[in-house]
Amino acid sequence: MQKVFINIGTLLQTREPGTKILRGALMADVPSLKNAWLKTNDGLIEDYGFMNDFVEDNAYEVVDLKGRMVSPTFVDSHTHLVFAADRDEEFVMKIKGMDYQSIAAAGGGIINSAKKLEGTSLEELLDGARQRLSEAIASGTGAIEIKSGYGLTMEAEIKMLQVIAQLKQEFAIPIKSTFLGAHAFPHADHDKYMKTLLQEMLPEVYSQQLANYIDCFCEEGYFSVDQMCHILEAGEKYELKPKVHVNQFNAIGGVEKAIEFGAVSVDHLEVLPESEMVLLKDSDTIPVALPGCSFFINIPFAPARKIIENGLPLVLASDFNPGSAPSFNMSLINSLATMKMKLLPEEAFNATTYNAAHALELESEVGSISKGKRANFIVSKPNRTLNSIAYNFGVDWIDSVYIRGEKF
Ligand code: NIG
Ligand code: FE
């Protein structure tokens, strides 16, 4: 139960509880201790300090880390981890020259995932999701958000959310669920689908208490700003705060409205006009960039450097999904953010740990090495530094992952 990890070469991201999300220049600093110890008790971080001041105590099981680095686990605030099957056939279409929108127009995309999911049982979906979530945790993720949105019928959306509810039961990491019935229109009668979503799906999601947040893909060819407003308004009635997909391909006004509805975050932002940057700066809505998606479908990267230079906070997430971002690897997200968005390794790391916890309202539980937070942390292989996480792209720096103080 009680453990003390000693001889930690560098203990990354040590922060006093209660500090606010990091904005602008503050993102370039990652407080850490050299030559440290870390005590865990009952799954939580009890204390930490310098080896110089370490006092032995027989009540604690001692784990000697022999100079290795310890980091809090990553927080992945935006994923679509529940799906029926990969869309690697679309990957090949993309290699041959088709873009994301033309693949969707040819019957691929979100609708393709919905077709694959329709005939998949809850048990089968759960098996796949369980496997992926285990792999994501082994790759360093210690808190995650998971969306529905590949159902697009009452039955299938509820099935997806029930899978997420089951994952919450089975896994010891915090999981937040998001209702994304507004991911794509499943048929040409948009008014009819809006009615189903607002009058049937949402009340059912609420009565079964299956979601923490509500999402909408606000984009040309998907949901208009008006439609998003109807959805977020209905979400308010059911106590669901928004976290929305906006500005992936076009800026159509979704950011402003999302802020008005008190969105916890606005995600994607590959296209972000100056005027919307200003609105975000004056709000509590957190910008979330998804570099894995930009990399995979070859679209512009969100202007993350500019976001930070304008004094805003930034969060980075994987967007893990079978169509536009088939990787949950948060170390790779750190690499892409440094190489493609010109973030410093410290900025990318803060955006995937400390700040990312705020995008899931989990800042009192995860995201840093702080007294009272969950003992969810990563032990590195020998001779790794904070820079190695991003610098050695695609190379595994992780020796082991601890969840609630236990080796995962
Ligand atoms: O965040 N942009 C909308 N939704 C997902 C992609 C979904 C898919 O292609 O399956 C995203 O990129
Ligand atoms: Fe997404």
Side-chain angles (χ1 to χ4, degrees):
M1 272 306 221
Q2 291 173 309
K3 291 196 183 88
V4 60
F5 297 81
I6 61 167
N7 294 320
I8 298 169
T10 308
L11 182 60
L12 286 176
Q13 198 67 296
T14 49
R15 293 188 187 266
E16 290 301 313
T19 15
K20 287 197 196 122
I21 193 163
L22 307 168
R23 293 169 178 269
L26 290 177
M27 288 191 68
D29 180 44
V30 175
S32 50
L33 302 190
K34 293 253 185 252
N35 201 13
W37 55 266
L38 172 69
K39 275 184 183 165
T40 66
N41 190 356
D42 206 15
L44 301 178
I45 294 169
E46 186 180 298
D47 206 355
Y48 55 86
F50 289 108
M51 281 310 289
N52 289 343
D53 310 323
F54 178 62
V55 183
E56 273 182 46
D57 180 342
N58 286 339
Y60 290 80
E61 178 191 328
V62 178
V63 185
D64 187 348
L65 293 182
K66 299 180 178 147
R68 287 162 194 240
M69 178 173 75
V70 167
S71 154
T73 47
F74 297 114
V75 176
D76 195 350
S77 72
H78 180 140
T79 83
H80 308 249
L81 176 137
V82 175
F83 53 85
D86 286 340
R87 302 209 311 261
D88 48 314
E89 69 281 13
E90 293 181 15
F91 177 47
V92 176
M93 290 159 83
K94 192 173 70 79
I95 293 166
K96 290 181 177 167
M98 284 174 83
D99 65 14
Y100 185 78
Q101 286 103 322
S102 44
I103 290 169
I110 296 160
I111 297 297
N112 188 10
S113 275
K115 269 194 214 121
K116 290 176 194 267
L117 191 134
E118 207 181 358
T120 307
S121 71
L122 188 143
E123 268 311 320
E124 289 168 320
L125 266 185
L126 184 57
D127 275 351
R130 216 184 252 134
Q131 169 78 27
R132 284 176 219 121
L133 184 54
S134 300
E135 287 178 33
I137 296 170
S139 77
T141 295
I144 198 166
E145 181 256 20
I146 309 175
K147 300 172 193 298
S148 71
Y150 292 134
L152 311 181
T153 63
M154 166 83 142
E155 194 197 338
E157 282 295 310
I158 296 294
K159 181 166 67 182
M160 285 190 79
L161 290 169
Q162 285 172 341
V163 167
I164 304 170
Q166 187 59 33
L167 296 174
K168 289 184 184 184
Q169 297 288 323
E170 291 181 19
F171 285 81
I173 66 164
I175 300 175
K176 293 280 179 109
S177 51
T178 301
F179 173 53
L180 178 54
H183 203 187
F185 284 103
H187 47 68
D189 192 343
H190 293 186
D191 289 342
K192 187 172 171 204
Y193 186 65
M194 284 293 289
K195 264 197 194 138
T196 309
L197 203 156
L198 298 173
Q199 294 171 14
E200 293 170 31
M201 292 185 191
L202 252 178
E204 190 57 29
V205 169
Y206 180 73
S207 79
Q208 293 193 39
Q209 287 292 298
L210 289 173
N212 303 109
Y213 299 108
I214 188 158
D215 194 349
C216 172
F217 185 17
C218 183
E219 183 57 62
E220 277 174 24
Y222 294 84
F223 290 78
S224 69
V225 175
D226 250 21
Q227 286 163 332
M228 181 184 80
C229 288
H230 282 127
I231 291 160
L232 300 191
E233 208 179 319
E236 260 175 6
K237 274 205 318 228
Y238 296 110
E239 298 157 21
L240 296 174
K241 286 195 209 168
K243 283 173 74 67
V244 291
H245 285 73
V246 284
N247 294 33
Q248 182 176 3
F249 302 106
N250 302 282
I252 58 172
V255 170
E256 183 172 358
K257 290 294 169 192
I259 292 171
E260 279 176 31
F261 277 98
V264 173
S265 70
V266 282
D267 302 30
H268 270 292
L269 309 177
E270 286 84 345
V271 184
L272 186 61
E274 200 66 44
S275 56
E276 293 186 336
M277 186 96 80
V278 172
L279 293 175
L280 277 171
K281 192 173 179 179
D282 291 336
S283 79
D284 289 327
T285 299
I286 303 168
V288 179
L290 310 167
C293 172
S294 297
F295 181 63
F296 189 73
I297 66 171
N298 201 19
I299 60 171
F301 285 79
R305 186 72 262 142
K306 252 187 158 172
I307 290 175
I308 293 175
E309 272 157 20
N310 275 293
L312 278 77
L314 178 77
V315 167
L316 296 165
S318 74
D319 194 18
F320 176 46
N321 76 76
S324 70
S327 172
F328 46 69
N329 192 297
M330 293 296 283
S331 301
L332 182 63
I333 296 304
N334 275 261
S335 297
L336 291 173
T338 50
M339 295 187 295
K340 298 293 191 180
M341 294 166 148
K342 303 270 176 272
L343 259 57
L344 296 169
E346 290 84 356
E347 291 170 329
F349 184 72
N350 277 323
T352 49
T353 55
Y354 184 76
N355 272 9
H358 289 77
L360 291 183
E361 299 176 295
L362 286 171
E363 63 272 18
S364 63
E365 286 187 50
V366 289
S368 61
I369 301 294
S370 308
K371 286 184 207 174
K373 283 198 183 183
R374 290 180 184 232
N376 292 5
F377 58 88
I378 302 169
V379 175
S380 78
K381 291 179 176 170
N383 302 316
R384 306 296 157 119
T385 65
L386 169 60
N387 282 353
S388 325
I389 299 172
Y391 166 72
N392 297 109
F393 70 94
V395 177
D396 191 9
W397 62 280
I398 294 175
D399 174 86
S400 41
V401 174
Y402 283 79
I403 301 297
R404 300 208 65 127
E406 302 295 329
K407 218 178 221 189
F408 180 73

